[in-house]
Amino acid sequence: MEDIRRLAYEVVMRACGFGSLAIFCVMIGLSFDPRAAFQAGGFLSLIMTLVLLLKAHEARTKDHRRMEMWLYLPKERRPPQAYAQKTIAAAMRETYFTFARWSVLLSIMLLAAALLASVLGI
């Protein structure tokens, strides 16, 4: 079970890393206007949160053999078929929810920074 959790964490972290890189690039592109940059980062982080929540919902019913994580599990470490769907779905849901919480916290911080920049007239 620990291998499954570790792999789920790695797979979701890599996907969120690419999403965060895209958000960061948009923010750098808007760096001439800090309020707009923070606001765009906040809204894009909210979108990433919604995507993570949708993926968590989808994880319950998605075939475990079609998940990226299943490919990374060594054959000798894979759980039996009867147990695999429930185990992998639970690990993926838990991981998606964890990253969704972090993403929404980032979004709150970025939107608060946009509000602060707006109040300060930056």
Side-chain angles (χ1 to χ4, degrees):
M1 185 65 182
E2 196 56 40
D3 285 338
I4 292 172
R5 280 198 178 115
R6 182 184 51 80
L7 281 173
Y9 191 85
E10 289 175 8
V11 166
V12 176
M13 186 185 336
R14 183 177 51 238
C16 286
F18 285 123
S20 297
L21 178 63
I23 292 168
F24 179 73
C25 288
V26 168
M27 289 178 68
I28 290 295
L30 293 170
S31 62
F32 61 89
D33 183 4
R35 184 199 54 81
F38 287 129
Q39 195 171 26
F43 283 122
L44 291 173
S45 294
L46 272 178
I47 291 171
M48 186 162 71
T49 301
L50 291 175
V51 169
L52 287 165
L53 291 174
L54 287 172
K55 295 292 280 181
H57 180 70
E58 177 190 48
R60 288 185 296 163
T61 58
K62 188 171 183 180
D63 185 10
H64 67 279
R65 293 168 294 185
R66 295 191 177 264
M67 291 186 184
E68 180 182 4
M69 187 189 76
W70 184 255
L71 299 174
Y72 292 132
L73 267 174
K75 291 193 187 291
E76 64 275 0
R77 296 284 202 166
R78 291 180 180 171
Q81 289 295 329
Y83 180 69
Q85 178 66 38
K86 206 171 244 191
T87 305
I88 290 176
M92 291 302 289
R93 270 180 66 91
E94 175 185 326
T95 307
Y96 282 131
F97 281 137
T98 298
F99 279 88
R101 278 191 293 270
W102 292 347
S103 179
V104 81
L105 287 175
L106 176 65
S107 179
I108 289 169
M109 290 187 316
L110 289 170
L111 290 173
L115 181 63
L116 182 65
S118 180
V119 167
L120 295 176
I122 299 175

